[in-house]
Amino acid sequence: MCHTWQHPSKKDEEFKPDLVNKIPDGLKFINITGGEPLLRDDLDQILQIALRKTKRLVVECQHIANGKMCHNIVNSL
């Protein structure tokens, strides 16, 4: 059984969206993965920056999600 939910990351230890600016331009694809990346308050900023760096962007969730947050992300782009 996975117990990572008992040890959530601290907001001040998570990378900031500006870090994505350091990724080189012209990549074939970028994968954004995690337990549940849709829970990040700043995911829309991360995706907007990443979309300028690549032609193909994939957001992958490792946990089963109900998709409730997807419309927020799609509408922000």
Side-chain angles (χ1 to χ4, degrees):
M1 175 175 253
C2 176
H3 297 285
T4 56
W5 61 272
Q6 294 175 338
H7 309 285
S9 60
K10 298 175 185 168
K11 292 285 183 189
D12 61 335
E13 293 177 354
E14 293 179 353
F15 74 85
K16 306 291 184 247
D18 287 339
L19 183 64
V20 182
N21 281 318
K22 295 184 178 188
I23 295 174
D25 294 334
L27 296 177
K28 291 183 180 181
F29 64 90
I30 295 176
N31 288 342
I32 296 179
T33 64
E36 182 55 276
L38 298 178
L39 292 177
R40 286 192 65 125
D41 295 333
D42 56 359
L43 183 61
D44 59 332
Q45 296 169 358
I46 293 169
L47 296 179
Q48 288 174 2
I49 297 168
L51 282 169
R52 294 193 303 258
K53 304 286 184 173
T54 186
K55 294 180 179 180
R56 179 175 180 249
L57 178 62
V58 176
V59 179
E60 179 182 341
C61 300
Q62 298 296 322
H63 299 286
I64 297 173
N66 64 10
K68 183 178 178 182
M69 302 298 288
C70 293
H71 71 279
N72 293 342
I73 301 304
V74 171
N75 290 337
S76 71
L77 299 175

